[in-house]
Amino acid sequence: MFKKAQTDIYHTDSAVSIKGVTKTFIQWQRDNTGKGILRNLIKPEKRVVTALDNVSFEIGKGEFLAYAGPNGAGKSTTMKLLSGMLLPTSGDISVLAMSPQKQRRAIMRNLGVLFGNRTELWWDHPVIQSFEWKKVVWDIPDAQYRKNLAMVTELLDIGGLLKTFARELSLGQRMRADLAMLLLHSPSLILLDEPTLGLDVMAKRQMIGFLKQLNERSGTTIVVTSHDMDDLEEMARRILLISGGKIAFDGGFAALRNELGCTKRAVVNFNNGTQRQIDYQDTGKLLHELSGLDGVADISFTQTSLEEGLANLFAKWRS
C-alpha cells in the first residue's frame, strides 16, 4: 500500500469528512446439497464481509475528487454511506456539516447522486415531465427551476431531447438528461458513480467538459468514480485510491505517477543518425539537460500509461 500524500486533518470548511469509518455486511452461506439444506436450517452459516475498514479522509468544498480502485474495493459502499443509503458499522461521517444518519433529508436538499447504470427518468414519458415532477416533489422555487433548466438545457445540449420519451434516448442522451435532472435543485455536492460508463467518444467529451465547467464556474464539489483513469485525470485534481476497504493513496496525479514509477521518456534523434533516450520525472531538469546537447534533429516524448500502471498494481493487490 502507498502512504497517504496528505495528513488526516479535518477542517471546518469541508464538504465531506469521514473519520474511522468501518462498514461490514453479513453474507449468509448456502449449500443446496441434501446435508447442506438440513445444516442451513439447524445452524445457518454466515460470513462477515468488511467493505470499508477504518477509512478516514476529507473533501474540501469546491474540490473535484477522483475516487478509484478495483472492483469490490468499497467505492460504491462509500457513495451509499455519504448519501445516507447505508449506515456505517462504526465511525463518523459528515456531509455538508450534517449527519447522513440523522439529517438525510436536509442533506439530500443539497446533494445530487448519479449512478451510471440507473435512471430517475420516467421511462414512458417525455424527459420534461420527469423534470416537472422533480420540481413539484422537491418543491423547487419557480425562478430557481427556470434558471437551472435553461442552464442545463444549453450546456448539456438537451433542448431537442426534452419532448422525447426516456425509453427512446441513447445511453449518452440519457446520461445527459439524468445529469440535468440531478442539477435542477442546485446541489452543492454531487456524487457520480461511473458517469461515463458505456459512452461513446463524443458523449464522453461532452460529459467531462460540462463537469469541469460546473466545478470551475459554480464551485460545486464533485466526487466521481470510474475505471477509466484517463477520464479521471482529465477531470479531477486529486485522486483517492481504495483497495480492500482501505485507503491506499491520497494525493495528486503527478504524485501517483511517481509512486507507480510511470516512466516519462524523451527520445532524442541527432543529425548524425544517432539516438539517445532520457528517462525523467522533472520537466525543468529535462529541459536543462536538452539545452546542453548539440546537433539535435528532433525530439519525441512517451510515457507509461497511468492506467497500465494501476492495472499492474491492482493485480498485485488481488494476489
Side-chain angles (χ1 to χ4, degrees):
M1 293 290 184
F2 299 135
K3 293 181 179 179
K4 292 184 185 180
Q6 299 181 3
T7 55
D8 292 327
I9 300 175
Y10 297 91
H11 305 282
T12 55
D13 191 29
S14 65
V16 171
S17 177
I18 290 184
K19 298 182 181 180
V21 169
T22 295
K23 178 60 182 178
T24 59
F25 297 94
I26 293 177
Q27 290 183 347
W28 293 99
Q29 306 300 293
R30 295 289 184 263
D31 187 347
N32 291 327
T33 63
K35 291 182 179 180
I37 293 175
L38 181 60
R39 186 166 55 249
N40 289 340
L41 293 173
I42 299 173
K43 189 177 181 181
E45 182 183 352
K46 65 181 179 181
R47 182 167 70 100
V48 177
V49 177
T50 301
L52 295 179
D53 186 4
N54 193 31
V55 168
S56 298
F57 64 85
E58 180 183 349
I59 304 170
K61 291 180 180 178
E63 271 201 83
F64 200 141
L65 175 77
Y67 194 44
N71 288 330
K75 302 186 300 296
S76 294
T77 297
T78 303
M79 293 291 204
K80 292 174 181 178
L81 287 169
L82 293 179
S83 59
M85 297 168 64
L86 293 175
L87 299 180
T89 304
S90 62
D92 297 316
I93 300 176
S94 172
V95 178
L96 302 173
M98 294 178 282
S99 167
Q101 297 171 261
K102 301 176 182 179
Q103 300 166 285
R104 185 170 185 268
R105 287 190 177 183
I107 288 175
M108 292 307 295
R109 300 294 303 181
N110 298 280
L111 178 68
V113 183
L114 177 62
F115 291 91
N117 58 349
R118 300 177 186 176
T119 182
E120 292 189 9
L121 299 171
W122 287 3
W123 204 238
D124 291 311
H125 292 271
V127 170
I128 191 62
Q129 286 194 7
S130 295
F131 290 2
E132 295 289 347
W133 168 83
K134 178 169 182 176
K135 174 184 182 297
V136 174
V137 173
W138 286 64
D139 195 24
I140 302 174
D142 289 342
Q144 180 182 353
Y145 174 77
R146 289 195 299 270
K147 176 183 176 182
N148 287 340
L149 179 59
M151 175 192 72
V152 297
T153 298
E154 177 185 358
L155 297 181
L156 286 169
D157 190 25
I158 60 169
L161 307 178
L162 295 178
K163 296 182 180 180
T164 304
F165 282 17
R167 57 179 165 81
E168 297 176 345
L169 300 176
S170 68
L171 177 59
Q173 291 171 333
R174 179 178 65 76
M175 290 295 294
R176 283 170 18 226
D178 270 317
L179 183 58
M181 186 170 175
L182 175 152
L183 296 169
L184 292 175
H185 65 290
S186 302
S188 56
L189 167 65
I190 61 176
L191 310 176
L192 305 173
D193 193 9
E194 297 284 357
T196 59
L197 182 66
L199 299 185
D200 61 33
V201 175
M202 291 299 296
K204 185 181 292 190
R205 298 260 55 79
Q206 194 167 23
M207 176 73 76
I208 291 174
F210 176 77
L211 292 174
K212 291 171 65 176
Q213 189 175 45
L214 180 68
N215 172 253
E216 293 167 2
R217 292 189 178 183
S218 303
T220 304
T221 306
I222 301 176
V223 181
V224 59
T225 75
S226 176
H227 289 292
D228 192 319
M229 295 306 301
D230 290 335
D231 288 354
L232 291 181
E233 187 170 14
E234 182 176 352
M235 287 187 284
R237 293 181 292 275
R238 171 186 168 201
I239 182 169
L240 192 153
L241 285 180
I242 185 168
S243 176
K246 292 180 177 289
I247 301 301
F249 178 83
D250 185 354
F253 282 89
L256 178 59
R257 286 186 178 277
N258 288 335
E259 291 279 4
L260 291 173
C262 292
T263 305
K264 294 181 179 179
R265 175 171 294 170
V267 180
V268 184
N269 294 299
F270 295 91
N271 293 324
N272 60 8
T274 60
Q275 186 182 83
R276 177 181 173 186
Q277 296 182 354
I278 304 173
D279 293 338
Y280 69 98
Q281 290 293 338
D282 187 283
T283 304
K285 291 182 179 179
L286 171 67
L287 293 175
H288 178 73
E289 185 170 353
L290 291 176
S291 67
L293 299 179
D294 295 323
V296 175
D298 64 71
I299 305 173
S300 60
F301 298 91
T302 63
Q303 66 178 11
T304 305
S305 165
L306 180 60
E307 193 157 326
E308 179 183 349
L310 280 176
N312 294 334
L313 179 66
F314 293 163
K316 291 181 181 178
W317 286 349
R318 284 194 296 267
S319 62

